[in-house]
């Protein structure tokens, strides 16, 4: 159909030209471009229709490539016959049009570049230059992205000799139009002069190039927004494997790699299945976006899942099932990579250090072959004695990884390959085998490198087969912005983080964990609990509850004692508790600490839960753990330790207040006793219990300076690199709107509040320290930003700006959080605190949300005693401790319903309790990690916003 239309067009143009010659190239383009553009558009629509009906991505890419072949060939014929015909061409008046790169492979994605080589016999001539220019102008007028080069055969070989990117492009070429003899000469000389004898050099260059590409796109194949083309486990990895195979074995088609001995027939089918799936996803991406989009971002994942026909099933949404299929394919690509790696080593086609780097194990000099039980060590890698190693004793499938861990050895790709082929040997009998389970427990609790060994087990398929519940979450993605990795990768990374803690490598970041980790009694239980804490994700029932049941079943099988098994089950069931309490409850409220201590019950459990929480949060993804979260967890730990140790937090408070005052007095030797006594009386008891000791001296001097200068409103700022926050201290006359104004001013200035210590003095002054997440690495830049935010706060407090307008100016369309659905929920709880009603607001995060909520609460005539803001990706959980204007709890159902309704309007898109247009706002800092803002309670400390901001 396409060819017929093009042939007809060419014949028509020639007839028109004979009747009335086209005046110039511009006139010819005006005539031909609209028809070619319509043909390409029709071809794309047909290709998309076929993609939906056939479900074959590679067939779609090849169909688009054939269409482009016909168009390029026709353009050549039009230009050659009509514009620049040559009756008797000289030896230099020859031109060959060659497809290179991905287009040269005969596969073209809808939005991909058209890579062309204009091949000349010698140097450029006027005729050749005119031909190339005329063709390119037509291609550009067709709005095609054309990657092109004009070279002679000698130039191609010279450039290819020094540049492996050009050499790779020349490796995959196809003749499209023009002089076929010229193209044949290039192919023959390329094979003879560049390929022959250079396999090792080429392989090493390609693997080095792959390493750099993967580092740029993301080193893990389990990143939840993967790059289909350049990411680890993506199409480029498959391309690299074929380039290596083609270069080394001199084959033209991937099927020939079976005959060459690189792949088995089964592995070839795996290669083809991976290639087709990735091409299908890529073509749908390009068609859906109308551009060469290669990243499966959150907003596209749901759309592509729908286009591919995935549906909700078994507790997983359609998009989660699609992404699991994607990550399983990426894993298969990794398996194929290891296979090619092993084959290249066997041929000695690449140097050992590059191979080592490629599979993640740099080693020293090669050791001589030696035996370790049923295994042998070759080139610093652990391998099997023969093909029957696993079938003779299936326990060896686990022992392989235990010996690799014990001797700190990489596993030879041949052994990994055999393990994958032997998965059927992992039967219920092997899972019940005491030796096998003891070996696995040794791996999991190893003092060496459990993370890397578990990852090898996972990549071979052994881990998911030996622990079937783990197999269910392999490659499982959680469709949210909080988790950066698949569930299996998160669990393995959390084990690595715990091992690093135990090895003493993270003491500076986690000082409390570093101090207590060697004092625990249930080390094995901790590692098993961490390995299992998310193992029940993706099920319809609460994963913590189901996970605890799995723990009770698996513990005895692994050889844990009854006490250890109970501890594992408890930790799995409560693995979110400490993080939730620390980030969303008032840690100065005695009821909070008492309730938490009642669940934990023992110091051993408290230690274990802290260590598990630290490892869990740290393994979520880069930037999720912050020093501020560590401080919150340490505060909760120390308060709970006091209760579990037999003390009563409430009874101890008077003594703690006296101690705090005494310490501050010692830090102010230049103050008189009378002056200090007056200052101390300005603060309510809550200040002395809640204010961080590091800030008390700063507060005292700051307020003294403001008083001396006669300033009713003053700000100061510092930055804290360790905790990753910038601190802004504000002193101002207290008034009901103050909390909303401060939060609004921060939002308007682009500041993301992660915490705040907010106090009111007896004489009616507000003393607030606001903590913002740092935006810059260098202190100088960050302090300039802090000055801007502090200035914004001062102007807002002085009434120089209208804060509501400034906040609205910061609202942006919710592009980042648009794909996500968070069901709004408003919960009022009168049991969580002795003095306050606790309001918990859950919904989709956006800029200015804290300002909107605090303003709405003020309009409801509520005093805010403390506020706690936690952000989990796109989801925000804001908790407010409030009273009515008389200082009492919110009891009446009608009043509670009014609060729920008003806050529901805010969380669904309104501003300060009034509905705004849909689509305003976006997640704070794109929601990476949890934030927390709290205001200390106490007599007179309640803040509301009783009038409109």
């Amino acid at each position: 159909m396409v060819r017929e239309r093009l042939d007809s067009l060419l014949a028509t143009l020639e007839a028109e030209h004979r009747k009335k010659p086209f005046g110039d190239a511009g006139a010819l383009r005006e005539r031909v471009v609209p028809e070619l553009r319509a043909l390409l558009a029709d071809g794309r629509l047909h290709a998309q229709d076929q993609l939906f009906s056939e479900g074959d991505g590679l067939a779609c890419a090849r169909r688009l490539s054939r269409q482009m072949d016909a168009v390029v060939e026709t353009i050549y014929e039009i230009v050659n016959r009509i514009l620049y015909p040559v009756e008797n061409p000289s030896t230099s008046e020859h031109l060959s049009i060659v497809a290179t790169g991905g287009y040269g492979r005969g596969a073209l994605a809808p939005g991909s570049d058209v890579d062309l080589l204009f091949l000349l016999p010698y140097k450029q001539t006027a005729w050749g230059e005119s031909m190339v220019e005329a063709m390119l102008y037509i291609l550009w007028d067709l709005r095609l992205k054309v990657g092109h080069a004009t070279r002679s055969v000698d130039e191609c070989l010279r450039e290819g000799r020094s540049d492996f990117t050009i050499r790779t492009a020349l490796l995959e070429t196809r003749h499209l139009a023009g002089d076929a003899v010229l193209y044949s000469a290039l192919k023959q000389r390329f094979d003879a002069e560049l390929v022959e004898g250079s396999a090792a050099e080429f392989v090493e260059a390609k693997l080095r190039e792959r390493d750099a590409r993967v580092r740029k796109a993301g080193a893990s194949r389990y990143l939840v927004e993967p790059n289909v083309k350049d990411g680890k486990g993506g199409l480029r990895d498959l391309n690299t494997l074929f380039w290596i195979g083609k270069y080394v074995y001199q084959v033209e088609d991937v099927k020939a790699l079976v005959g060459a001995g690189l792949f088995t027939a089964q592995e070839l089918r795996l290669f083809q299945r991976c290639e087709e799936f990735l091409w299908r996803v890529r073509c749908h991406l390009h068609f859906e976006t109308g551009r060469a989009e290669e990243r499966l971002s959150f907003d596209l994942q749901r759309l592509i899942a729908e286009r591919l026909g995935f549906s909700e099933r078994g507790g997983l949404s359609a998009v989660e099932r699609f992404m699991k299929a994607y990550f399983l394919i990426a894993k298969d690509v990794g398996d194929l990579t290891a296979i090619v790696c092993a084959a290249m080593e066997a041929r000695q086609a690449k140097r050992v250090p590059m191979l080592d780097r490629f599979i993640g194990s740099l080693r020293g000099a090669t050791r001589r072959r030696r035996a370790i039980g049923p295994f042998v060590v070759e080139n610093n890698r652990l391998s099997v004695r023969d093909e029957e190693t696993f079938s003779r004793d299936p326990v060896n499938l686990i022992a392989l990884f235990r010996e690799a861990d014990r001797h700190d050895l990489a596993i030879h790709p041949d052994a990994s390959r055999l393990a994958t082929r032997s998965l059927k040997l992992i039967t219920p009998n092997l899972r019940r085998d005491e030796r096998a389970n003891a070996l696995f427990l040794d791996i999991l609790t190893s003092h060496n490198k459990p993370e890397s060994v578990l990852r090898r087990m996972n990549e071979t398929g052994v881990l998911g087969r030996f622990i079937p519940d783990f197999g269910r979450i392999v490659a499982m993605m959680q469709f949210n912005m909080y988790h950066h990795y698949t569930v299996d990768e998160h669990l393995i990374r959390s084990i690595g983080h715990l091992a690093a803690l135990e090895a003493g490598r993270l003491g500076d970041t986690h000082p409390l964990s570093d101090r207590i980790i060697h004092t625990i009694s249930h080390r094995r239980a901790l590692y098993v609990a961490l390995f299992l804490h998310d193992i029940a994700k993706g099920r319809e029932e609460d994963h913590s509850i189901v996970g605890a049941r799995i723990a009770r079943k698996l513990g005895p099988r692994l050889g844990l004692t009854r006490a250890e098994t109970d501890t594992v089950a408890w930790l799995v069931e409560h693995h979110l508790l400490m993080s939730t309490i620390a980030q969303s409850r008032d840690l100065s409220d005695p009821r909070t600490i008492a309730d938490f201590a009642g669940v934990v019950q023992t110091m051993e459990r408290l230690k274990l839960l802290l260590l598990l929480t630290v490892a869990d949060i740290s393994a979520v993804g880069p930037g999720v753990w912050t020093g501020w979260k560590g401080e919150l967890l340490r505060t909760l730990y120390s308060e709970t330790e006091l209760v579990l140790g037999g003390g009563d937090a409430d009874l101890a408070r008077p003594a703690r207040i006296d101690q705090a005052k005494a310490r501050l007095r010692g830090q102010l030797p230049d103050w008189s006793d009378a002056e200090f006594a007056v200052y101390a009386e300005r603060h309510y008891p809550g200040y002395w219990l809640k204010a961080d000791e590091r800030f008390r001296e700063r507060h005292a001097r700051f307020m003294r300076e403001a008083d001396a200068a006669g300033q009713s409103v003053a700000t100061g700022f510092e930055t804290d690199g360790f905790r990753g926050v910038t601190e802004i201290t504000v002193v101002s006359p207290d008034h009901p709107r103050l909390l909303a104004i401060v939060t609004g001013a921060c939002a308007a200035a682009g500041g993301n509040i992660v915490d705040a210590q907010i106090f009111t003095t007896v004489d009616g002054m507000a003393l607030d320290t606001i903590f913002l997440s740092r935006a810059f690495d260098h202190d100088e830049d960050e302090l300039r930003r802090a000055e801007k935010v502090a200035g914004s706060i001062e102007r807002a407090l002085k009434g120089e700006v209208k804060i509501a307008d400034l906040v609205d100016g910061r609202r942006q369309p919710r592009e980042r959080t648009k794909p996500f659905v968070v069901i709004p929920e408003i919960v009022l709880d009168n049991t969580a605190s002795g003095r306050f009603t606790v309001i918990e607001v859950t919904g989709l995060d956006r800029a200015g949300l804290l300002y909107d909520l605090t303003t709405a609460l003020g309009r409801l005539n509520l005093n805010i005693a403390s506020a706690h803001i936690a952000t989990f990706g796109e989801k925000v959980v804001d908790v407010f401790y409030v009273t009515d204007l008389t200082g009492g709890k919110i009891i009446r159902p009608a009043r509670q319903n009014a609060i729920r309704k008003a806050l529901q309007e805010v969380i669904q898109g309104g501003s300060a309790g009034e509905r705004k247009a849909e689509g305003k706002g976006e997640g704070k800092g794109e929601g990476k990690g949890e934030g927390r803002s709290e205001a200390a309670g106490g007599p007179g400390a309640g803040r509301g916003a009783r009038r409109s901001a």
Side-chain angles (χ1 to χ4, degrees):
M1 182 69 175
V2 172
R3 177 64 66 181
E4 292 172 359
R5 288 176 62 179
L6 289 170
D7 289 344
S8 175
L9 174 62
L10 179 58
T12 301
L13 289 172
E14 287 186 301
E16 292 176 1
H17 184 63
R18 284 193 299 269
K19 186 175 181 180
K20 182 181 179 181
F22 291 98
D24 55 22
L28 179 62
R29 289 201 306 276
E30 288 181 6
R31 171 68 180 84
V32 74
V33 165
E35 293 204 35
L36 290 178
R37 188 178 292 159
L39 183 144
L40 285 172
D42 291 345
R44 283 170 57 89
L45 286 174
H46 177 67
Q48 183 170 202
D49 290 342
Q50 293 297 106
L51 178 61
F52 276 115
S53 62
E54 297 174 358
D56 190 328
L58 192 54
C60 176
R62 287 171 174 164
R63 184 174 287 113
L64 290 170
S65 178
R66 289 194 299 271
Q67 174 184 281
M68 190 59 65
D69 291 352
V71 169
V72 172
E73 181 181 346
T74 300
I75 293 173
Y76 171 82
E77 294 297 337
I78 290 172
V79 173
N80 188 35
R81 295 187 195 181
I82 296 177
L83 286 182
Y84 305 109
V86 179
E87 293 294 332
N88 295 302
S90 65
T91 55
S92 61
E93 290 178 322
H94 289 265
L95 180 65
S96 182
I97 313 302
V98 180
T100 64
Y103 181 37
R105 284 191 300 277
L108 190 67
S112 292
D113 293 0
V114 179
D115 294 325
L116 296 174
L117 168 64
F118 296 96
L119 185 63
L120 308 170
Y122 309 111
K123 64 182 181 180
Q124 180 67 281
T125 64
W127 175 84
E129 186 174 357
S130 298
M131 283 287 298
V132 171
E133 183 181 85
M135 288 187 67
L136 284 174
Y137 272 115
I138 294 175
L139 291 167
W140 290 334
D141 283 354
L142 290 172
R143 298 170 189 161
L144 297 172
K145 293 180 292 182
V146 183
H148 63 93
T150 304
R151 297 190 180 99
S152 67
V153 173
D154 286 339
E155 288 171 334
C156 286
L157 297 175
R158 183 169 62 251
E159 295 289 337
R161 189 171 287 110
S162 60
D163 188 326
F164 280 96
T165 300
I166 294 176
R167 190 184 302 192
T168 304
L170 293 173
L171 181 65
E172 291 193 301
T173 56
R174 287 184 302 115
H175 177 254
L176 298 177
D179 193 333
V181 174
L182 183 58
Y183 172 70
S184 296
L186 172 65
K187 288 286 290 181
Q188 291 168 3
R189 290 187 61 188
F190 177 78
D191 290 341
E193 298 179 27
L194 292 189
V195 176
E196 188 67 32
S198 63
E201 183 184 22
F202 180 81
V203 171
E204 182 167 348
K206 287 292 100 180
L207 296 181
R208 187 184 303 112
E209 181 183 287
R210 176 190 180 274
D211 287 346
R213 169 174 49 80
V214 166
R215 279 194 301 271
K216 182 178 179 181
S220 173
R221 68 173 60 96
Y222 303 113
L223 288 171
V224 293
E225 291 186 292
N227 188 303
V228 178
K229 178 183 176 183
D230 292 325
K232 191 173 185 179
L235 269 171
R236 188 66 80 207
D237 275 1
L238 286 178
N239 297 153
T240 300
L241 298 185
F242 179 61
W243 292 334
I244 290 172
K246 182 175 184 178
Y247 202 99
V248 173
Y249 295 97
Q250 299 284 290
V251 298
E252 292 299 321
D253 187 84
V254 68
K255 296 177 183 177
L257 293 176
V258 175
L262 181 61
F263 288 150
T264 64
Q266 181 180 358
E267 289 160 353
L268 171 64
R269 289 193 293 273
L270 179 62
F271 184 100
Q272 292 171 327
R273 186 168 70 248
C274 292
E275 185 178 33
E276 186 283 317
F277 180 86
L278 291 172
W279 268 111
R280 192 170 3 135
V281 172
R282 190 181 184 209
C283 287
H284 276 297
L285 265 175
H286 286 203
F287 279 131
E288 176 65 35
T289 61
R291 61 180 185 273
E293 179 60 64
E294 310 295 356
R295 191 169 67 100
L296 263 174
S297 57
F298 288 125
D299 57 322
L300 292 172
Q301 288 171 13
R302 194 186 298 277
L303 298 173
I304 302 303
E306 182 179 343
R307 289 175 70 103
L308 291 174
F310 284 87
S311 59
E312 182 178 355
R313 187 187 304 166
L316 292 179
S317 66
V319 67
E320 288 170 336
R321 289 187 62 231
F322 159 54
M323 292 307 297
K324 179 168 184 174
Y326 179 90
F327 289 121
L328 287 173
I329 288 291
K331 177 182 176 297
D332 289 338
V333 173
D335 294 341
L336 291 168
T337 298
I339 290 168
V340 172
C341 214
M344 294 304 100
E345 181 180 1
R347 287 178 59 95
Q348 296 182 343
K350 56 187 171 186
R351 300 178 180 89
V352 170
M354 173 53 67
L355 175 60
D356 285 344
R357 185 160 59 253
F358 186 50
I359 64 173
S361 301
L362 277 169
R363 303 287 169 192
T366 301
R367 304 173 190 170
R368 63 186 180 84
R369 180 184 175 101
R370 62 188 175 90
I372 299 179
F375 310 109
V376 293
V377 178
E378 295 179 352
N379 292 328
N380 287 323
R381 290 181 187 83
L382 190 64
S383 191
V384 292
R385 286 180 179 269
D386 53 53
E387 293 283 316
E388 308 303 318
T389 297
F390 299 137
S391 58
R392 276 196 303 270
D393 185 359
V395 173
N396 288 335
L397 278 163
I398 312 300
L400 172 70
F401 298 96
R402 175 58 181 133
E403 294 300 332
D405 172 70
R406 197 157 63 91
H407 296 279
D408 195 20
L409 290 169
I411 295 176
H412 196 285
D414 285 346
S416 296
R417 191 178 189 181
L418 181 61
T420 299
R421 294 206 306 264
S422 304
L423 292 178
K424 63 181 181 297
L425 298 173
I426 303 179
T427 63
N429 287 336
L430 181 63
R431 296 186 194 109
R432 290 191 294 266
D433 188 278
E434 289 187 11
R435 286 189 301 144
N437 282 288
L439 288 170
F440 176 73
L441 188 59
D442 287 343
I443 293 168
L444 181 60
T445 60
S446 170
H447 289 280
N448 297 325
K449 299 176 181 177
E451 177 183 2
S452 60
V453 177
L454 288 170
R455 186 171 287 112
R456 292 178 207 159
M457 291 185 75
N458 193 31
E459 290 175 348
T460 59
V462 171
L463 183 54
R465 192 71 175 238
F466 188 67
I467 309 291
D469 286 302
F470 188 90
R472 291 186 59 164
I473 51 91
V474 168
M476 180 185 290
M477 170 208 168
Q478 300 168 78
F479 188 63
N480 58 54
M481 290 169 56
Y482 180 58
H483 293 91
H484 295 229
Y485 304 106
T486 55
V487 180
D488 55 327
E489 179 69 6
H490 165 66
L491 292 178
I492 291 171
R493 284 175 178 263
S494 67
I495 292 294
H497 196 87
L498 181 60
L501 266 176
E502 189 174 23
R505 296 195 297 270
L506 301 175
D508 291 341
T509 307
H510 306 289
L512 176 59
S513 298
D514 182 66
R515 177 168 61 81
I516 69 172
I517 194 166
H518 296 291
T519 69
I520 60 174
S521 302
H522 290 86
R523 178 181 179 274
R524 295 198 310 177
L526 175 59
Y527 273 87
V528 174
L530 189 59
F531 177 70
L532 298 179
H533 76 271
D534 278 345
I535 202 165
K537 280 287 181 74
R539 310 198 192 195
E540 295 181 359
E541 193 177 349
D542 187 311
H543 78 282
S544 299
I545 302 299
V546 179
R549 289 204 297 266
I550 292 172
R552 292 193 180 280
K553 178 182 66 176
L554 188 61
R557 182 192 134 184
L558 294 179
L560 298 184
T561 66
R562 183 172 179 177
E564 287 176 316
T565 299
D566 287 344
T567 299
V568 171
W570 184 90
L571 286 170
V572 172
E573 183 174 350
H574 297 93
H575 73 272
L576 296 174
L577 179 64
M578 195 166 193
S579 173
T580 300
I581 296 297
Q583 297 178 76
S584 64
R585 289 296 182 267
D586 186 349
L587 303 185
S588 67
D589 190 318
R591 178 76 62 86
T592 297
I593 304 303
D595 289 348
F596 178 67
V599 176
V600 175
Q601 295 184 345
T602 70
M603 277 304 301
E604 175 71 6
R605 281 183 173 180
L606 180 63
K607 294 176 184 178
L608 294 172
L609 189 56
L610 173 69
L611 294 168
L612 186 147
T613 303
V614 168
D616 183 15
I617 296 176
S618 300
V620 168
V624 174
W625 175 267
T626 65
W628 191 250
K629 295 182 184 70
E631 185 155 315
L632 295 173
L633 289 170
R634 287 190 293 272
T635 299
L636 178 56
Y637 180 93
S638 61
E639 293 288 332
T640 308
E641 182 180 32
L642 178 65
V643 175
L644 293 177
D648 185 312
D650 231 359
L651 293 177
R653 284 166 188 260
R656 291 164 63 195
I657 291 172
D658 290 340
Q659 290 176 359
K661 290 180 179 180
R663 281 194 294 269
L664 178 60
R665 182 68 188 95
Q667 293 171 327
L668 301 171
D670 53 321
W671 286 36
S672 67
D673 290 340
E675 188 177 13
F676 179 79
V678 170
Y679 174 77
E681 288 301 316
R682 294 182 70 179
H683 291 294
Y684 289 101
Y687 173 82
W688 300 104
L689 294 170
K690 189 67 180 176
D692 194 299
E693 184 175 350
R694 291 169 297 177
F695 300 130
R696 291 187 195 124
E697 180 185 1
R698 190 188 309 169
H699 288 168
R701 297 190 184 281
F702 178 65
M703 293 187 73
R704 185 192 198 191
E705 291 170 4
D707 290 342
Q711 294 175 308
S712 60
V713 175
T715 59
F717 49 86
E718 293 188 14
T719 190
D720 187 331
F722 171 72
R723 294 184 296 167
V725 293
T726 291
E727 305 151 6
I728 298 179
T729 302
V730 180
V731 63
S732 167
D734 192 23
H735 56 84
R737 299 171 51 229
L738 190 129
L739 180 57
I741 290 174
V742 170
T743 58
C746 288
N752 181 35
I753 298 177
V754 295
D755 198 87
Q757 290 190 337
I758 301 175
F759 303 101
T760 304
T761 64
V762 173
D763 55 353
M765 296 297 289
L767 176 62
D768 303 346
T769 300
I770 309 297
F771 300 87
L772 307 177
S773 57
R774 281 176 61 119
F776 298 98
D777 292 331
H778 297 292
D779 287 353
E780 296 82 1
D781 296 330
E782 183 61 24
L783 288 172
R784 279 193 293 270
R785 171 177 172 264
E787 185 176 15
K788 175 185 173 184
V789 177
S792 177
I793 292 173
E794 279 200 44
R795 289 193 299 275
L797 290 174
K798 292 176 181 177
E800 297 173 1
V801 293
K802 191 174 181 181
I803 196 64
D805 292 342
L806 291 179
V807 174
D808 285 343
R810 293 289 302 184
R811 303 184 195 274
Q812 301 292 329
R814 289 185 187 168
E815 291 301 325
R816 187 66 176 165
T817 58
K818 188 177 179 180
F820 302 101
V821 176
V822 177
I823 299 174
E825 185 177 14
I826 315 296
V827 177
L828 276 71
D829 186 352
N830 280 316
T831 65
S833 174
R835 297 177 50 204
F836 306 103
T837 294
V838 178
I839 301 176
E840 183 171 289
V841 181
T842 302
L844 193 65
D845 195 15
R846 67 170 186 265
L849 178 60
L850 180 56
Y851 164 75
D852 292 340
L853 290 170
T854 52
T855 302
L857 289 171
R859 286 180 173 166
L860 290 164
N861 292 321
L862 297 174
N863 281 330
I864 303 172
S866 67
H868 312 261
I869 282 64
T871 311
F872 303 91
E874 75 286 353
K875 178 181 178 180
V876 66
V877 180
D878 293 355
V879 178
F880 302 92
Y881 283 62
V882 303
T883 65
D884 61 19
L885 296 183
T886 66
K889 291 184 177 183
I890 314 302
I891 303 297
R892 290 189 300 111
R895 180 83 165 112
Q896 292 181 354
N897 289 335
I899 293 171
R900 289 191 186 94
K901 182 179 178 181
L903 295 180
Q904 189 87 7
E905 290 181 351
V906 172
I907 203 69
Q908 286 182 326
S911 174
E914 298 174 354
R915 293 299 301 268
K916 289 283 186 180
E918 287 294 327
K920 285 192 174 184
E922 66 181 3
K924 296 190 280 284
E926 296 187 355
K928 297 300 182 186
E930 308 97 309
R932 177 178 179 273
S933 174
E934 65 180 289
R943 295 276 176 81
R946 298 187 185 89
R947 295 183 299 278
S948 170

